[in-house]
């Protein structure tokens, strides 16, 4: 029996840097990360992959903004669905090519994934997550008249803001589980999943919101009873007193320590905060181990020689 890991790959695995936004650049970043994931599979791990989509949703919304005289706007649920498809395709191909180089043949499949959020999640009353390009004051005013929330961003201009409700349930979980046990490598719940609500009578409906990918990844790891929840991001380790003279990189912490450091403010919302929250949620639900590290350090981290381990 192989051990199962849910691997959440962050934006840095999908794009090299904000200033170098070409398609070959994206293939380069994904190829490199998939090289490390292929090595993990060759070492005997089974993996289910999930990923972020922030920059790609940004590109889609910028395109829609620039084409707004000609074409309809792109609803966010469709935006997430689109990026699950395009990024899923890229990961499928890059992982397959990297596995072939190691002499491994596996079928890889992406699951378009809806994630249920509560209709009355307090986030809907207080949209906080900026999405899309910077807007002029006039354009922002137009959006506001259409009923869409906008906010001025630290003097840099206006942006749309959308709610970021908590993920409650991965709706395609049964299919993901079945595919996983049938031996497929799966990419699922990309971008935190397509946010949907359940209406009176049980009908589902997409909403203008985005879900944090780390929190959804933790639901995926819980639902699959994964042996490991691996969060791959832009830093090799987690630190307390990050970017201060007292900075201390952590090799290991318990879930209690993680909770305490989170309360003490070591992990800001929107970056390390949701990863630690996701780690705590997974470990509290019976998860065995969380590893946070960068793509290139995954191999060493699996051997206990890099990264930050979080244990029950
Ligand atoms: P991802 O795209 O992988 O979700 P984020 O940018 O959202 O990445 O979060 C990872 C980033 O969090 C790191 O690149 C780092 O700059 C930042 N960070 C904030 N606080 C800490 C901390 N205490 N320890 C390590 N990194 C931190
Ligand atoms: Mg993030």
């Amino acid at each position: 029996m192989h051990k199962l890991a849910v691997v959440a790959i962050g934006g840095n695995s999908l794009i090299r840097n904000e200033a170098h936004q070409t398609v070959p650049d994206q293939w380069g970043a994904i190829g490199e990360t998939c090289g490390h994931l292929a090595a993990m599979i060759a070492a005997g791990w089974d993996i289910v992959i999930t990923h972020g989509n922030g920059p790609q949703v940004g590109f889609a919304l910028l395109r829609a903004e620039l084409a707004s005289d000609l074409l309809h706007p792109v609803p966010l649920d469709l935006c997430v669905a689109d990026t699950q498809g395009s990024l899923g395709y890229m990961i499928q191909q890059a992982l397959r090519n990297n596995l072939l180089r190691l002499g491994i043949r596996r079928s890889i499949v992406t699951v378009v994934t809806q994630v249920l959020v509560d209709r009355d999640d307090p986030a809907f009353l207080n949209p906080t997550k900026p999405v899309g390009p910077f807007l002029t004051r006039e354009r922002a005013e137009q959006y506001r008249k259409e009923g869409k929330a906008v906010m001025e961003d630290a003097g840099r201009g206006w942006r749309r803001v959308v709610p970021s409700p908590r993920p409650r349930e991965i709706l395609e979980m049964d299919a993901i589980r079945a595919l996983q046990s049938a031996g497929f490598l799966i990419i699922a719940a990309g971008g935190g999943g397509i946010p949907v609500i359940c209406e009176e009578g049980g009908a589902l409906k997409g909403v203008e919101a985005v879900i944090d990918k780390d929190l959804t990844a933790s639901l995926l790891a819980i639902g699959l009873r994964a042996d490991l929840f691996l969060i791959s991001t832009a830093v090799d380790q987690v630190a307390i007193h990050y970017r201060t003279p007292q900075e201390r990189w952590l090799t290991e912490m318990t879930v209690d320590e993680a909770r305490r450091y989170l309360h003490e403010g070591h992990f800001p919302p929107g970056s390390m905060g949701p990863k630690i929250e996701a780690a705590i949620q997974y470990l509290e639900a019976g998860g065995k181990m969380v590893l946070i590290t960068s793509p290139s350090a995954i191999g060493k981290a699996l051997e206990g020689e890099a990264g930050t381990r979080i244990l029950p």
Side-chain angles (χ1 to χ4, degrees), residues 77-78 112-119 124 168-173 193-208 211:
D77 56 335
L78 293 187
V112 173
T113 314
Q114 306 175 84
V115 171
L116 188 69
V117 300
D118 285 341
R119 273 189 301 181
F124 286 110
R168 290 296 173 200
E169 191 188 338
I170 295 173
L171 291 170
E172 284 75 18
M173 199 64 225
I194 304 164
V196 300
I197 55 169
C198 187
E199 297 194 300
E200 226 73 71
L204 299 177
K205 188 170 162 247
V207 286
E208 287 279 288
I211 306 175

Side-chain angles (χ1 to χ4, degrees), residues 84-161:
Q84 284 186 349
S86 54
L87 292 169
Y89 152 64
M90 293 176 92
I91 297 168
Q92 277 177 224
Q93 191 180 91
L95 185 57
R96 184 193 153 99
N97 291 347
N98 276 283
L99 283 171
L100 266 182
R101 253 172 244 149
L102 300 175
I104 301 170
R105 251 179 205 286
R106 294 286 298 272
S107 286
I108 312 170
V109 60
T110 299
V111 178
V112 173
T113 314
Q114 306 175 84
V115 171
L116 188 69
V117 300
D118 285 341
R119 273 189 301 181
D120 43 16
D121 190 297
F124 286 110
L125 300 174
N126 181 30
T128 53
K129 176 90 185 156
V131 293
F134 284 101
L135 306 165
T136 61
R137 173 190 281 277
E138 295 69 39
R139 186 72 180 125
E141 202 47 51
Q142 237 172 327
Y143 270 117
R144 208 198 299 271
K145 280 191 190 127
E146 290 167 17
K148 292 180 169 141
V150 289
M151 223 184 246
E152 196 169 15
D153 188 340
R156 293 189 297 169
W158 294 77
R159 279 181 94 184
R160 280 189 60 201
V161 283

